[in-house]
């Protein structure tokens, strides 16, 4: 079996909001955030816009993999 993001301890399913009236989380199936490293700043260094200076964790698909996979998911 090939290790994947879905079973890595650093990966979390991407939650985009909560159902206001129902109390459930809204997710995008199969995508998540890799939290192996600190969030990375996007954009061009010459761009002073807020979006260019925002930092974020990489978004990956659950089936993806990398060379730094760490098996096991800690308890939430």
């Amino acid at each position: 079996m090939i290790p994947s993001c879905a079973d890595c301890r650093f990966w979390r399913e991407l939650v985009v909001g909560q159902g206001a009236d129902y109390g459930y989380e809204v997710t995008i199936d199969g995508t998540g955030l890799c939290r192996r490293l600190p969030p990375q700043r996007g954009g061009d260094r010459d761009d002073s816009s807020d979006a260019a200076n925002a930092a974020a964790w990489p978004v990956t698909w659950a089936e993806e993999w990398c060379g730094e996979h760490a098996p096991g998911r800690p308890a939430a």
Side-chain angles (χ1 to χ4, degrees):
M1 182 172 136
I2 297 175
S4 68
C5 292
D7 62 2
C8 181
R9 67 177 292 180
F10 300 115
W11 190 81
R12 294 294 176 272
E13 187 174 29
L14 182 59
V15 176
V16 294
Q18 294 187 347
D21 297 328
Y22 304 104
Y24 60 87
E25 293 180 337
V26 178
T27 62
I28 300 174
D29 290 340
T31 61
L33 301 174
C34 176
R35 294 187 173 203
R36 168 67 178 93
L37 298 172
Q40 300 298 305
R41 183 176 166 273
D44 186 346
R45 292 197 183 277
D46 294 333
D47 186 345
S48 62
S49 69
D50 289 340
N53 290 307
W57 284 285
V59 176
T60 66
W61 291 103
E63 306 83 36
E64 291 180 7
W65 59 274
C66 76
E68 297 189 33
H69 181 269
R73 301 285 303 270

